[in-house]
Amino acid sequence: MPIQKPDIILTTDIVLFAMYYGELCVITIKRDKEPFAKQRTLPGGFIRYGETSMDCAIRVLKDKCSLQDAYIEQLYTFDSPGRDPRGNMTSITYMATTHIDQLGILNNLNNCQLTPLYALLGFDHNQIVEYALQRLRNKLHYTTIISTLLPAEFTLSELQNYYEILLNTTIDKRNFRKKFTALDLLIDTGNIRKGLKQRPAKLYKFKSTDIEEITLW
Amino acid sequence: MPIQKPDIILTTDIVLFAMYYGELCVITIKRDKEPFAKQRTLPGGFIRYGETSMDCAIRVLKDKCSLQDAYIEQLYTFDSPGRDPRGNMTSITYMATTHIDQLGILNNLNNCQLTPLYALLGFDHNQIVEYALQRLRNKLHYTTIISTLLPAEFTLSELQNYYEILLNTTIDKRNFRKKFTALDLLIDTGNIRKGLKQRPAKLYKFKSTDIEEITLW
DNA sequence: ACAAAAGTGTTAGTGGTACACCCATGC
DNA sequence: GCATGGGTGTACCACTAACACTTTTGT
């Protein structure tokens, strides 16, 4: 029935985004085996029998990156010949977003690190990161996906700052606040951030943990 | 190295959209084998060794549907357990759009037909159609993908009518024309459609055959 | 002459953008 | 008291949405 040789291999690779010191980063792992030994690549693995690609992606993130909670969605399936020198590897890739609080302390023991987007990665993984970045940027415009990158409570300035970094723009402070309060997505937690040598800021959180459809710009 | 049994099978299924008598339809094929014998399903097939999923999708459309030219893009990879009673089938699905001129005469010989979107299909293929429809509708808002569904030359009323059908809305004629002429995407072919008992209409085509990014509504 | 769709402008309202100053705190 | 970011309102411009009549053809 199938006209396939048995050596088609299914793998998963995950682009896990998190903000780190004011920069959008991805989790990468330093390989110890060939091919691309000592180079950094995206976390990934072989899909096991009886496991879906989503199961596999979640397992890999838990095992390799000690990830507790994240938003995750399927990105794209890469299968161009030659993308892996070992042979015919099809990778069902996922995009995930989280906050560093959800990452186990980034121990260099398992070679897992947050790296900037311009870092050179092995295999075709820079291409996968590029694809994920586009997806993320698109979703920022019409969903509340930013909530998955933010800490539990945040100030309006932090929220604005995240958009400015992720979309590489500048936004007028008053217009931003007007827009966001009109959307009615946030609630005032009652908490304030003080201790800084400036006026204390109100802390907000999203009313819902769901990712909702909105229109921004 | 891989922890996979050799019976993971990779397939492709394609949602090929075309307008047919004022309705958005998909190409389906009547199966003659079990499972789902005598039911309709999306065109698809097993990915051959050395072939990418895109190659496979194009081959299937040529062989089974006599398709000459179409727009095609990867949609999503479906791999939930139980989606195929024969076992672990992973399907890398594609969405394609074309005009019926590009389809070889729809001979019932190979059981290939344009069917309305509400037709019941075997496997999880209704779910795949639903996913493709969402993708298509989204793309109508921010790309010129509609050009891939239109005939070579068309009137402004036809263009508007396509949008109304695909997005299930009504649009004001004057506002539509104002918007579209402002986008400056069309050229007047110089031809007119006459012979109907009404005022003849100018025929247009898109300046570019590329799918461009625009903003509509 | 009549039916049927093609073609064409103006107005009101809404939403987006630009812009500057006072406030509360830590040191 | 000074430096730092927090917090707030208004005016203009551009785009959208609503709306009706004349034109050209075939029969």
Side-chain angles (χ1 to χ4, degrees):
Chain A
M1 178 174 61
I3 320 174
Q4 291 179 327
K5 293 203 184 166
D7 52 357
I8 287 186
I9 304 291
L10 271 184
T11 66
T12 301
D13 293 295
I14 307 111
V15 181
L16 173 57
F17 287 117
M19 293 290 275
Y20 192 55
Y21 288 107
E23 189 175 6
L24 182 65
C25 291
V26 280
I27 291 281
T28 57
I29 293 174
K30 195 170 187 177
R31 283 180 68 81
D32 49 8
K33 283 182 270 189
E34 289 293 343
F36 298 101
K38 312 216 167 168
Q39 293 189 47
R40 306 202 73 83
T41 58
L42 295 174
F46 296 102
I47 297 173
R48 295 182 182 164
Y49 187 74
E51 178 182 65
T52 65
S53 54
M54 175 70 95
D55 295 338
C56 179
I58 292 168
R59 172 175 58 78
V60 166
L61 290 177
K62 280 227 170 79
D63 292 354
K64 296 199 180 173
C65 311
S66 313
L67 182 69
Q68 296 167 57
D69 192 38
Y71 169 75
I72 183 163
E73 69 174 43
Q74 193 187 298
L75 190 62
Y76 196 83
T77 298
F78 292 84
D79 65 352
S80 51
R83 59 177 298 279
D84 189 314
R86 290 168 292 184
N88 231 325
M89 297 281 188
T90 293
S91 179
I92 306 173
T93 64
Y94 283 80
M95 178 187 79
T97 49
T98 196
H99 185 267
I100 44 167
D101 291 350
Q102 299 299 318
L103 285 163
I105 295 145
L106 291 166
N107 46 355
N108 274 2
L109 293 175
N110 61 6
N111 291 321
C112 190
Q113 267 184 19
L114 280 167
T115 50
L117 297 189
Y118 51 78
L120 289 176
L121 306 178
F123 299 107
D124 56 353
H125 289 188
N126 280 301
Q127 189 192 339
I128 299 172
V129 169
E130 186 54 37
Y131 196 93
L133 179 61
Q134 276 185 35
R135 174 79 63 93
L136 175 62
R137 283 188 169 158
N138 287 339
K139 291 226 158 186
L140 287 167
H141 290 287
Y142 65 91
T143 72
T144 55
I145 194 170
I146 200 157
S147 65
T148 64
L149 289 163
L150 286 159
E153 301 190 353
F154 49 86
T155 66
L156 289 178
S157 294
E158 281 181 299
L159 179 60
Q160 179 179 341
N161 188 237
Y162 269 47
Y163 277 113
E164 290 179 330
I165 292 165
L166 293 167
L167 297 174
N168 192 29
T169 46
T170 58
I171 310 172
D172 178 86
K173 197 204 288 191
R174 276 173 293 191
N175 293 337
F176 177 81
R177 285 162 188 246
K178 201 191 313 170
K179 178 85 185 182
F180 234 89
T181 53
L183 287 170
D184 194 33
L185 295 166
L186 304 180
I187 45 175
D188 187 337
T189 62
N191 301 327
I192 53 175
R193 172 167 303 158
K194 47 186 174 181
L196 287 77
K197 51 178 182 174
Q198 64 200 233
R199 178 170 171 176
K202 287 188 178 179
L203 288 165
Y204 295 85
K205 60 180 179 182
F206 275 82
K207 281 184 177 172
S208 167
T209 54
D210 299 341
I211 295 187
E212 297 175 58
E213 302 240 329
I214 54 173
T215 46
L216 284 169
W217 312 294
Chain B
M1 178 173 62
I3 320 174
Q4 290 179 326
K5 293 205 184 165
D7 54 357
I8 286 186
I9 305 290
L10 272 184
T11 67
T12 300
D13 293 297
I14 307 111
V15 180
L16 174 57
F17 288 116
M19 293 291 275
Y20 193 55
Y21 288 108
E23 189 176 6
L24 182 65
C25 292
V26 280
I27 291 281
T28 57
I29 293 173
K30 195 170 187 179
R31 283 180 68 82
D32 48 8
K33 283 181 268 187
E34 290 292 344
F36 299 101
K38 310 214 169 169
Q39 292 191 46
R40 305 201 73 82
T41 58
L42 295 174
F46 296 101
I47 297 173
R48 296 181 181 166
Y49 186 76
E51 179 182 64
T52 65
S53 55
M54 175 70 96
D55 294 337
C56 179
I58 292 169
R59 172 175 58 79
V60 166
L61 290 177
K62 280 227 169 79
D63 291 356
K64 296 199 180 172
C65 310
S66 314
L67 182 69
Q68 295 167 60
D69 192 38
Y71 169 74
I72 183 164
E73 68 174 43
Q74 193 187 298
L75 190 62
Y76 196 81
T77 298
F78 292 84
D79 66 350
S80 51
R83 59 177 298 277
D84 189 315
R86 289 168 291 185
N88 230 325
M89 298 280 189
T90 294
S91 179
I92 305 173
T93 64
Y94 283 79
M95 177 186 80
T97 50
T98 195
H99 185 267
I100 45 166
D101 291 349
Q102 298 299 316
L103 285 162
I105 295 144
L106 292 167
N107 46 355
N108 274 3
L109 294 175
N110 61 7
N111 291 320
C112 188
Q113 265 184 18
L114 279 168
T115 49
L117 298 190
Y118 51 78
L120 288 176
L121 306 178
F123 299 107
D124 56 353
H125 289 188
N126 280 301
Q127 188 192 340
I128 299 173
V129 169
E130 187 54 38
Y131 196 92
L133 179 60
Q134 276 185 34
R135 174 80 62 95
L136 175 62
R137 284 186 167 158
N138 287 338
K139 291 226 158 187
L140 287 168
H141 290 287
Y142 66 91
T143 73
T144 55
I145 195 170
I146 199 156
S147 65
T148 63
L149 289 164
L150 286 159
E153 300 190 356
F154 50 87
T155 67
L156 289 178
S157 293
E158 280 180 297
L159 179 60
Q160 178 179 342
N161 188 238
Y162 270 46
Y163 276 112
E164 289 178 333
I165 292 165
L166 294 167
L167 298 174
N168 193 31
T169 47
T170 58
I171 309 171
D172 178 85
K173 196 206 286 194
R174 277 173 292 190
N175 292 337
F176 177 80
R177 285 162 187 245
K178 201 189 312 168
K179 177 87 186 181
F180 235 90
T181 52
L183 287 170
D184 193 33
L185 295 166
L186 304 180
I187 46 176
D188 187 336
T189 63
N191 302 327
I192 53 174
R193 173 167 304 158
K194 46 187 175 182
L196 287 76
K197 53 175 181 175
Q198 63 199 231
R199 177 168 169 178
K202 286 188 179 179
L203 288 165
Y204 294 85
K205 61 179 179 183
F206 276 83
K207 282 185 177 172
S208 168
T209 53
D210 299 340
I211 296 186
E212 297 174 57
E213 304 240 330
I214 54 173
T215 46
L216 285 170
W217 311 295

